[in-house]
Amino acid sequence: MSTTIGENIHRKEAWDKVSGNAKYTDDKPVTGYLHARILTSPHPHARIKSIDCSKASQLKGVRAIITGNDFPVLSGALLEDRPPIAKDVVRYAGEPVAVVVAATEAIALKAVRMIEVEYEPLKAVFSTGEALKKDAPLLHPDLGEYKRIQKDVQPVEYSNIASKFQIRKGNIEEGFSESYAVIERNYKLPPSDHLAMEVRAVRAEISVDGKIKIETSSQAPYTVVKQLSSCFQIPAGNIEVNVPFVGGAFGGKAPVTLEFLAYMACVKVNGAPVRLTVSREEDMATAPCRLGLEAAIKIGAKSDGTITAATFTFYLDTGAYSDISPYMSKAIAVDCTGPYNIPNLSCDSYCIYTNHTYSTSYRGFGHLCYTFCVERAMEDLAEKCGMDPVDFRKTNAIRPGDLTPNQVVSTYSNTGNPELCLEKLKTLLHWDGRRVKRIDNNRVLATGIACLWKSATPPTNAVSGSIITFNSDGSLNLNTGVVEIGSGGQTNLAQMIADRLKMDIKDIHISLAVNTRLNPEHYKTVASMTNYMAGNAVMKAANDVLEQLKTMGAQIYSCAPEEIEVADSKVFKKEQPDQYIEFKDIVSGYQTQNGTSIGEPVIAKGSFLLKGLSKLEPNTGKGRTGPAWTVGAQAVEIEFNQSDYTYKIIKAATVMDVGKVINPNGMKEIIYGGMSMGLSMSSREVYEYNKEGRLNTPNLRTYKLLHIGEEPLYQVEFVETPQTDSPFGSRSISEHGIIGIPAALGNALAAASGIPIQELPLTPEHLWRAKEGIHDSK
Amino acid sequence: MKYYEGDCVIELDVNNEIRKATVRPSDVLLDVLREQFGLTGAKPGCKNGDCGTCTILMDGLPAKACLVLAVEAVGHKILTVEGLGGHTPIQEAFVQYNAFQCGYCTSGFLMVCHALAERKPNADEYEMEKWLQSNICRCTSYQEIREAVKSVLKHI
Ligand code: FES
Ligand code: FES
């Protein structure tokens, strides 16, 4: 039986998804459920003077109305700064102010409109710059008193700074004194949305003996258990969280949000089942989005292009609450250089409160934002040094022995090979050094390049587990806590087992829904870590299967376990492959011809705990935050019309060091998807706020996404430098396709238009404004 | 069209079966299909006509079930993804070409593509794009969907 690693395997759940059979959270029948809907704040910052629910609660069919006073709790992933329902103050337009539970959704909505809230508007801040001013209004006057879940998150009392991480390496002054060319640039990216096609949805019920059952569209079911437990002082064992298929997540379904509301609503109706599904508008304005970023960058290089020093200052606009953003500010600091060796380095990464919708992880965990800034600056510096942009990047690519920003010694195993990615990209693009080629009087063809890297920043004690059982036909069941959010993670895991046990992948069944009571904990389905963490757990479980089968085989054949071979769903003695026992006859224990039983049913397990990670040293940022990096090089080719600033995206290409190709098409498609999202985000997506601080683009009519016909040709190629501690040497790839794309598009457009592109999104109108110096009158 | 008021009992022809439902005149077809008939293949993505995840066929043409009132659907033949049966050429092609990741947009795309293949088997790439622009996929790059649809059209 040949290996399944490196084969194109269709997703295990493919037929469920083309037949309408795949069930997502809100596909569960609604009979027997009460319906909850949310009243949200129209103000970005205001004191709640009073809430009058008397009229609304008299409406026939209304069962309960909950406000922030009912459950005065605070929640948060790292820092408990967020009341699930606003209490006394609202901090963004769209924030929940009350929840109504009613017999039907229509009644709930009607009642929502009958609640009377009196607000006293407060001064609001809409940029990190404003938020840092001395006289800026404080969003969280009690910042110093909030409970810190992770101790390395250190909010600055009496300021709008939720956290800060910094990197200091080498000697900055000396570094810059050696530079021949220095550039200084500022960049600004507005927030935007994950826009998973499935809006967030949740169901909750509580049994009479206090057992809580939650069904939710979440990437992090085990975190839902933990946060509900800590927020409401419930024993974790009383909470069961179920996650069926998830209709896209991209980081946006990792935070615990609606689950709190549904739980509180459910308590208020004595545990009766409650359904809460938000509208698209609420999914955008109320639920967390992608953060905004402002950056100030200074980089210097010698005349041969070698970078000598850099300073980076990043201001993350986390919106009204911090959620996971402090760790994005950490991840950005740790990876601030991109895959380059910069010996003298200083980076300050601040996470700042504003009165925008709060933000959370988004595909790439902040990397696509800072990479836009750094790679735009690299491009300008290459030009100033008179160098080819690819050669400039190759000159500075990080190599074994170099120190990463957090002072980890780079090896091929932990960093991969960015130089080789660039080399391969050159071939793929037929690169001749010309960034711009004229087509006619108005139109030019332009290519932009960018590199990417990313390591994960999980908690230092993240876990994963897996259990393997068998069916009576000898087929295998794989049980993990990995959520199927679209990345095909479970299919990859099945491939790993098939390879290890030398069995047909068709005989491997996976449990696609996650139930926190039944499936062993998997930290979260985030950070592209399924292959690494769950993969390691699954490989251990597969080894356990082998050991159990070999022990039984040895007993049956009266030989040593080492003489036993397992392949093709059969157990046999190595030298006698034609005398075998089929899995179906051995996985539940073996019966000899005279009826004696041998062995016992095979139930195998494997678990994994991250090891060797450490917190960062506060002053230097030295420390190991993730197991390894994934590096890559990307390019975007556009056709730009200089007369009207319109452009067509012709091609997007990625060469990524994936460690080992597990499923070529599956992996390519995940990277295509990342590129597509990056092009959509950087070419058009934006959270536009109006003068009153309300979201102007809270639906798909106004918030534009890429449609079919607007997509370029996508190309992906792989480099395989194994990560030695990962199954088969494979690296994380699920997020990475997006990371360098906004920068590559920006670089292409800057080359084509001569506009010093420093902001997103790159709409023709924005380009025109930048060129003509016309600012928005708003 | 008939005038409807209050709770009304209607008959709908869905996937070649006549089914009864009690609806309010303002109920949209999408909610009735999902909540009363358990046909959850059509999905809400925006309930505003912008995303296409709710697409069904009405008399063989794609319609956004979030924009059709249930009472408007009376007298028309409704087909949902469940009614495709599982092995139409376009469903096979979607599996073959991996034309989905999370699968949430898939039912909607399948319905548009199925209607296109049935009605315009000779459609060229331009016409295909025009048909499919009513729908959004956030996960794939569209390249995969494009390949799947091309494989069931005659002339591309
Ligand atoms: S739900 Fe109907 S078009 Fe989006
Ligand atoms: S497959 Fe997820 S939206 Fe299309």
Side-chain angles (χ1 to χ4, degrees), chain A residues 96-124:
Chain A
V97 173
V99 176
V100 175
V101 191
T104 69
E105 199 168 1
I107 298 171
L109 275 172
K110 190 166 178 188
V112 159
R113 285 191 290 267
M114 292 164 71
I115 299 174
E116 289 163 14
V117 188
E118 209 186 323
Y119 296 98
E120 178 195 322
L122 299 171
K123 191 166 178 268

Side-chain angles (χ1 to χ4, degrees), chain A residues 36-281:
Chain A
R37 289 304 296 254
I38 311 171
L39 171 71
T40 60
S41 160
H43 300 286
H45 199 191
R47 192 165 307 288
I48 302 174
K49 288 173 72 181
S50 66
I51 305 182
D52 183 354
C53 301
S54 54
K55 280 189 200 138
S57 51
Q58 271 157 32
L59 190 68
K60 200 169 155 233
V62 170
R63 295 296 196 80
I65 299 179
I66 305 121
T67 69
N69 293 324
D70 289 301
F71 297 87
V73 294
L74 288 173
S75 71
L78 303 169
L79 178 67
E80 291 193 340
D81 59 2
R82 191 177 75 89
I85 302 179
K87 187 175 167 338
D88 306 328
V89 185
V90 289
R91 297 184 177 88
Y92 69 98
E95 182 163 5
V97 173
V99 176
V100 175
V101 191
T104 69
E105 199 168 1
I107 298 171
L109 275 172
K110 190 166 178 188
V112 159
R113 285 191 290 267
M114 292 164 71
I115 299 174
E116 289 163 14
V117 188
E118 209 186 323
Y119 296 98
E120 178 195 322
L122 299 171
K123 191 166 178 268
V125 288
F126 298 112
S127 71
T128 55
E130 279 171 49
L132 287 177
K133 284 195 182 134
K134 281 249 148 14
D135 58 347
L138 292 182
L139 267 80
H140 296 271
D142 299 333
L143 189 51
E145 278 143 48
Y146 290 154
K147 183 171 154 202
R148 290 180 293 144
I149 310 289
Q150 291 292 342
K151 296 291 176 266
D152 57 347
V153 174
Q154 295 188 347
V156 181
E157 234 179 321
Y158 307 114
S159 82
N160 287 316
I161 302 175
S163 71
K164 190 206 161 183
F165 286 90
Q166 67 180 42
I167 296 283
R168 297 289 182 272
K169 193 181 102 176
N171 185 324
I172 282 290
E173 283 77 37
E174 258 173 45
F176 277 117
S177 71
E178 289 168 19
S179 351
Y180 145 89
V182 176
I183 56 141
E184 286 184 66
R185 297 281 185 275
N186 293 299
Y187 300 95
K188 190 174 176 187
L189 283 73
S192 71
D193 202 27
H194 308 83
L195 228 298
M197 293 317 294
E198 177 204 27
V199 296
R200 295 163 174 92
V202 60
R203 307 280 176 98
E205 57 184 283
I206 307 171
S207 67
V208 277
D209 62 346
K211 295 271 191 303
I212 298 152
K213 212 166 164 177
I214 305 277
E215 181 124 359
T216 175
S217 56
S218 168
Q219 296 171 260
Y222 302 90
T223 309
V224 175
V225 174
K226 285 177 195 164
Q227 287 195 20
L228 277 179
S229 159
S230 85
C231 220
F232 297 102
Q233 313 291 322
I234 313 162
N238 280 4
I239 309 168
E240 171 185 322
V241 175
N242 289 279
V243 178
F245 281 109
V246 173
F250 314 113
K253 290 174 181 167
V256 186
T257 58
L258 297 187
E259 293 88 350
F260 291 124
L261 304 184
Y263 167 73
M264 294 187 283
C266 191
V267 170
K268 276 285 199 168
V269 293
N270 297 321
V274 171
R275 162 185 182 242
L276 172 59
T277 298
V278 292
S279 65
R280 174 58 70 189
E281 289 73 9

Side-chain angles (χ1 to χ4, degrees), chain A residues 10-11 13-15 17-20 22-24 26-27 30 105-106 193-199 246-248 250 275 280-281 362-363 484-486 665-666 669-670 672-674 676-677 680 685 699-701 703 705-714, chain B residues 24 31 34-35 38-51 53 67 81-82 84 86-87 90-92 94-98 100-107 109-110 128-130 132-146:
Chain A
H10 292 306
R11 287 164 179 279
E13 76 284 9
W15 288 101
K17 286 182 173 171
V18 296
S19 59
K23 299 288 180 205
Y24 302 77
D26 206 31
D27 290 343
V30 296
E105 199 168 1
D193 202 27
H194 308 83
L195 228 298
M197 293 317 294
E198 177 204 27
V199 296
V246 173
F250 314 113
R275 162 185 182 242
R280 174 58 70 189
E281 289 73 9
Y362 173 97
R363 193 175 203 158
E484 180 41 55
I485 52 176
N665 283 345
E669 285 149 6
I670 293 293
Y672 293 160
S676 168
M677 205 166 169
S680 184
E685 293 178 34
N699 53 47
L700 289 164
R701 192 71 49 97
Y703 185 97
L705 299 177
L706 211 66
H707 284 70
I708 197 163
E710 296 173 307
E711 86 280 19
L713 172 74
Y714 291 100
Chain B
R24 299 176 311 151
D31 291 343
R34 291 172 54 81
E35 293 174 10
L39 296 170
T40 54
K43 312 244 178 263
C46 67
K47 288 199 150 187
N48 196 42
D50 302 324
C51 75
T53 56
L67 294 184
V81 70
E82 290 89 347
L84 286 182
H87 292 281
I90 191 66
Q91 285 167 300
E92 305 265 359
F94 262 56
V95 173
Q96 192 56 37
Y97 290 90
N98 300 331
F100 49 87
Q101 289 178 21
C102 81
Y104 199 80
C105 70
T106 311
S107 313
F109 267 103
L110 282 169
M128 175 195 91
E129 278 176 13
K130 292 291 152 217
L132 268 55
Q133 270 166 358
S134 55
N135 291 42
I136 300 174
C137 175
R138 185 58 155 171
C139 301
T140 73
S141 71
Y142 293 119
Q143 195 160 278
E144 307 82 338
I145 297 178
R146 180 183 290 270

